[in-house]
Amino acid sequence: MSSTKLARFISPKISQCTLGRSAAQLSSLPPIGYIYLGNVSYAKALDMQKQLCRKRIDEIYAGPHNSRIPRGTCTLADSLILLEHSPVYTNGRRNHGALSVDEITRLRKLGCDYVETNRGGEITFHGPGQLVAYPNLYLKDHHLGTKCYVKGLEHTIVEACARLGIDADVVDGFPGVWVSHTQKVAALGTHVQKYVTSHGFALNCTTDMKWFDEIVPCGLEGRSATSLASVLARQGRSEVDSSIGAVLPTVIDSFKAVFGCDVLPLEEVSPETYATIRQLLE
């Protein structure tokens, strides 16, 4: 997707990406621990995120008059939670109550759940073959505002696609990551409370795209969703493994490259956080 072909697309230069941070700030970033949970129901993952965020906020602001305590005294660390969901349609916080009872019933008859959430964005699909990432970060420790954080998530997906030989980019005014003017390969929707993040992005790897035919993905008329597998097939490169297991290390490495910090197994970074997430999912 060259700039001459898609003039509206921004071309982020990942190798030069600092997300607006100085060299001194980049040198002080905390590590992030990643964990892959496999298939988790959306409702259970949503409840886990809410409880984890509440625990982190309570801990971070446990000082006098709800002031921040020193980073080194916190027991819970930043995490990159990776998983996939059983089929579910989700809608963002601005669209609560937007779908009629009949429409929700229709979607559920397809064998899909429907959940209204506290993330940004509009209706989308999550299901098997889609890699979902829920970063749980304290943005102040990473010297990031919300806009730069979202930009970092977009750049992470662009970089991951590039490492797979897929030309993807972001487009001004349209959320997500795109492989053409009309086809989106990843959706984004975040929630930030007191600088603690939840929700994140969903990258279609080998997702069955028929599920997206039942909705207007992200509320964008005239545009559609696609998957890494579909793009690779069009390139004549179907032999490239685009399963979640194959793409997972690429996404982790891309996240590290963009956010500029160490990204290590969560049980190494913070056994306490690892145990807390596992406990919240029981």
Side-chain angles (χ1 to χ4, degrees):
M1 164 184 326
S2 68
S3 58
T4 55
K5 290 182 180 179
L6 294 173
R8 293 189 62 194
F9 279 72
I10 304 166
S11 298
K13 297 180 180 178
I14 301 301
S15 62
Q16 301 173 17
C17 179
T18 63
L19 298 179
R21 297 168 295 178
S22 67
Q25 289 173 330
L26 288 169
S27 68
S28 67
L29 302 180
I32 296 173
Y34 71 85
I35 181 172
Y36 179 63
L37 299 174
N39 191 301
V40 179
S41 74
Y42 189 86
K44 182 176 285 189
L46 180 62
D47 184 64
M48 177 270 293
Q49 288 187 83
K50 288 179 178 179
Q51 291 190 65
L52 180 61
C53 286
R54 185 71 264 162
K55 287 177 178 291
R56 294 210 67 195
I57 289 169
D58 289 347
E59 181 179 57
I60 290 167
Y61 296 102
H65 308 292
N66 297 320
S67 63
R68 180 187 175 184
I69 64 174
R71 185 169 84 189
T73 62
C74 291
T75 59
L76 297 175
D78 291 332
S79 56
L80 174 60
I81 302 168
L82 300 148
L83 43 73
E84 67 176 331
H85 293 304
S86 299
V88 58
Y89 291 108
T90 70
N91 224 333
R93 55 183 174 267
R94 293 182 180 179
N95 289 325
H96 286 196
L99 267 62
S100 67
V101 173
D102 287 346
E103 177 62 5
I104 294 172
T105 300
R106 183 186 73 83
L107 294 176
R108 286 178 169 158
K109 284 182 177 179
L110 298 172
C112 220
D113 200 0
Y114 174 78
V115 179
E116 293 180 339
T117 79
N118 62 343
R119 63 162 173 80
E122 300 195 33
I123 191 167
T124 193
F125 169 80
H126 299 303
Q130 183 189 74
L131 177 59
V132 177
Y134 294 141
N136 181 250
L137 312 181
Y138 182 55
L139 292 182
K140 282 196 171 184
D141 281 349
H142 294 269
H143 309 287
L144 291 173
T146 301
K147 287 185 178 180
C148 283
Y149 167 66
V150 172
K151 183 179 179 181
L153 296 182
E154 292 173 333
H155 284 195
T156 295
I157 302 163
V158 170
E159 173 69 2
C161 288
R163 294 182 184 208
L164 294 167
I166 293 174
D167 202 4
D169 222 321
V170 295
V171 61
D172 189 26
F174 295 94
V177 175
W178 302 74
V179 294
S180 75
H181 278 306
T182 59
Q183 290 196 311
K184 180 159 69 171
V185 75
L188 278 81
T190 62
H191 180 72
V192 180
Q193 182 180 5
K194 291 191 173 181
Y195 297 96
V196 175
T197 68
S198 59
H199 297 280
F201 65 80
L203 175 61
N204 297 322
C205 298
T206 59
T207 318
D208 186 344
M209 305 313 296
K210 72 177 183 182
W211 295 102
F212 289 93
D213 295 337
E214 302 294 335
I215 58 172
V216 179
C218 300
L220 299 174
E221 294 281 357
R223 291 172 170 81
S224 60
T226 190
S227 66
L228 297 177
S230 297
V231 176
L232 290 167
R234 288 199 299 270
Q235 292 178 345
R237 301 170 59 224
S238 297
E239 75 282 357
V240 176
D241 190 352
S242 57
S243 66
I244 287 179
V247 172
L248 185 64
T250 303
V251 169
I252 293 169
D253 288 345
S254 299
F255 192 93
K256 175 181 178 180
V258 170
F259 282 87
C261 58
D262 288 333
V263 181
L264 305 166
L266 181 58
E267 57 267 38
E268 296 179 14
V269 172
S270 173
E272 295 86 354
T273 308
Y274 179 89
T276 297
I277 291 173
R278 289 294 186 187
Q279 183 180 25
L280 291 175
L281 288 171
E282 289 180 356

